[in-house]
Amino acid sequence: MAPFIADLIRRAELDIELLVEPFAGGAAVAISLLESGHVKSIGLADADPLIASFWRIVFSDDAWKLVDLIQDTKVTLGEWYRQKALAPRCDLSAAFKCLYLNRTSFSGALMSRTGPIGGISQKGPYKIGCRFNRPKIAARILELSKLADNVRFVRNSSYRRTMADVSRTSLAAQSPEKILWYLDPPFFAKAERLYRYSFSDDQHEELPDDIDNLVGHWLLSYDDHATARRLYSKHPGFARVNLRYNARIDTTERLVASEVIVSDLIASLRKRSLLDDWGKVIQLPRRRQPALPGTASRSVVKAAR
């Protein structure tokens, strides 16, 4: 999704001072757009305290302490059980629990019912430590920690509280056009298996009204679900995007997933006839490509009306 949003920013000729992800999760979009220079700063929030603690530590002077835990802690079934039962008393402990369970649990899920990679028996081809690449994870955390000066806030709060607080900032009052919201709320399908903090039916229904009151530009992404289409298909910024993920069925085939997106930017660009090439295969920059012309690799994203 990040390359797609980067393309919208470019087409709309925006100068984004702050990108806010109130459903941060893995924060991939915010981090990607910050690293590529498409936005100047980011703000992250999540209702899950484990996720919020993780990003607070990553973008703090204590990032090295998290790296030390990564290097020193054993990856065993016993430690997995210990982390699962742990009630963290500080951000660092919560951050490590979040990371440890994400790297050692099936599908990276933090849910209480989710089991370890390889199962309790550990007899399958993939064992509990297969995704716990210490050097790679540690290096990435230290790399991200260098961006701390460009991270305005990391908070454990509801999306509504984050929206209200950002709307009261001087940036919102003086230059609302420099704020971009990326809204990636809990999906409809299998939400109870994916999130510790998911949406009720009422919350899904209330989100469109909250978006109407947002200060700044915004883009919403959802799973391509019947309710999402009902709630947003009449918006002039509604579209469906086909994204090719690295979730392989076998060595030759990749899964193709469709998502619903809605954005005031899409509506504006359509009105100005600046999306005439949609529906074609377009080349967009990948994560961490410099904003200036360079030689970084590229990825293909297929966008469809």
Side-chain angles (χ1 to χ4, degrees):
M1 191 63 74
F4 177 80
I5 298 174
D7 187 57
L8 287 179
I9 292 173
R10 178 188 62 80
R11 290 169 186 256
E13 299 181 330
L14 297 180
D15 178 21
I16 300 300
E17 184 71 30
L18 174 64
L19 170 69
V20 184
E21 274 204 64
F23 306 96
V29 167
I31 290 171
S32 178
L33 294 176
L34 178 61
E35 288 185 310
S36 63
H38 289 91
V39 303
K40 295 176 181 176
S41 66
I42 62 174
L44 305 175
D46 202 281
D48 191 326
L50 292 183
I51 293 174
S53 291
F54 174 76
W55 289 121
R56 267 199 297 264
I57 292 296
V58 169
F59 296 118
S60 77
D61 293 337
D62 289 334
W64 65 272
K65 295 180 181 179
L66 181 59
V67 168
D68 279 351
L69 288 172
I70 293 167
Q71 301 288 14
D72 297 340
T73 305
K74 294 180 179 180
V75 183
T76 65
L77 201 57
E79 180 62 23
W80 182 86
Y81 276 115
R82 192 183 80 82
Q83 291 291 335
K84 199 81 167 176
L86 183 68
R89 296 184 178 182
C90 66
D91 269 348
L92 180 60
S93 178
F96 185 68
K97 175 175 180 173
C98 180
L99 174 67
Y100 194 94
L101 293 180
N102 173 261
R103 294 287 91 190
T104 58
S105 299
F106 182 73
S107 295
L110 304 178
M111 306 291 292
S112 59
R113 72 190 73 175
T114 304
I117 297 174
I120 302 302
S121 67
Q122 291 291 292
K123 292 182 179 180
Y126 299 104
K127 304 297 189 285
I128 193 169
C130 67
R131 296 178 64 240
F132 207 96
N133 186 327
R134 297 178 196 271
K136 186 175 181 179
I137 296 170
R140 183 61 177 147
I141 287 174
L142 292 176
E143 180 184 18
L144 289 175
S145 70
K146 298 175 183 178
L147 301 174
D149 289 344
N150 299 100
V151 180
R152 294 204 178 192
F153 61 82
V154 178
R155 56 190 300 173
N156 173 214
S157 71
S158 68
Y159 78 89
R160 280 180 167 168
R161 178 65 183 271
T162 301
M163 288 178 175
D165 288 349
V166 171
S167 70
R168 290 192 289 267
T169 62
S170 58
L171 180 63
Q174 298 169 11
S175 303
E177 74 283 357
K178 292 181 178 290
I179 299 175
L180 175 61
W181 296 80
Y182 174 53
L183 307 164
D184 188 31
F187 280 11
F188 292 94
K190 302 179 181 179
E192 69 284 352
R193 300 181 185 179
L194 297 173
Y195 315 102
R196 297 204 311 155
Y197 293 79
S198 57
F199 264 16
S200 66
D201 291 343
D202 287 344
Q203 286 174 305
H204 284 297
E205 297 282 343
E206 293 163 358
L207 183 58
D209 290 335
D210 294 326
I211 292 174
D212 285 342
N213 295 320
L214 268 181
V215 175
H217 299 292
W218 57 273
L219 185 142
L220 167 77
S221 63
Y222 253 129
D223 49 339
D224 192 1
H225 189 273
T227 305
R229 293 193 293 272
R230 174 178 62 80
L231 290 173
Y232 297 100
S233 61
K234 294 182 180 180
H235 192 282
F238 175 89
R240 295 170 69 203
V241 179
N242 295 323
L243 301 175
R244 190 172 292 274
Y245 294 99
N246 289 323
R248 295 186 298 175
I249 299 175
D250 54 39
T251 57
T252 61
E253 184 177 2
R254 288 182 177 181
L255 296 174
V256 176
S258 177
E259 290 191 11
V260 161
I261 59 171
V262 196
S263 175
D264 71 314
L265 295 178
I266 295 174
S268 175
L269 291 171
R270 278 178 172 163
K271 188 175 181 179
R272 295 156 57 192
S273 300
L274 294 178
L275 286 178
D276 293 339
D277 60 346
W278 269 34
K280 301 177 182 178
V281 174
I282 54 177
Q283 298 285 332
L284 297 175
R286 298 189 68 180
R287 178 168 57 84
R288 295 199 297 279
Q289 178 174 336
L292 297 176
T295 58
S297 60
R298 309 179 75 83
S299 64
V300 177
V301 176
K302 186 174 183 181
R305 286 184 185 268

